[in-house]
Amino acid sequence: YDNACIESFHSIIKKELIYLEKFKTREEAIKRIYEYIEFFYNRKRIHSSIGYHTPTEYERMYYESSKKVA
């Protein structure tokens, strides 16, 4: 179970980015993977496991609710 989350993520990034593009250099691949994770996966792609929110939205909601409790 320890690796299930990261294995799922690897499967998603391969299907949504890696297999769809041909990278000319390692630097280009690193840049595109970074952009995918930071700008699409975390900010635009909704996730069913967190109530169909983006990770950025969910994190913001978490911190807002924890401020109200404290």
Side-chain angles (χ1 to χ4, degrees):
Y1 296 113
D2 292 343
N3 293 325
C5 291
I6 197 65
E7 288 176 11
S8 176
F9 172 75
H10 285 159
S11 173
I12 291 168
I13 196 171
K14 287 178 183 178
K15 286 186 259 181
E16 294 182 352
L17 176 69
I18 304 298
Y19 296 149
L20 301 178
E21 294 192 23
K22 181 97 173 159
F23 305 107
K24 293 180 183 178
T25 64
R26 183 180 295 241
E27 290 76 23
E28 180 185 2
I30 291 169
K31 180 181 178 223
R32 287 291 295 124
I33 292 167
Y34 172 81
E35 290 170 350
Y36 171 85
I37 294 169
E38 188 59 38
F39 300 110
F40 177 71
Y41 190 84
N42 285 338
R43 297 182 190 192
K44 294 182 180 177
R45 189 179 189 280
I46 60 172
H47 299 256
S48 61
S49 63
I50 53 175
Y52 296 94
H53 295 284
T54 67
T56 304
E57 289 173 335
Y58 191 80
E59 181 180 32
R60 180 182 41 77
M61 292 183 329
Y62 171 81
Y63 284 116
E64 286 175 1
S65 68
S66 67
K67 286 179 185 177
K68 292 176 185 175
V69 173

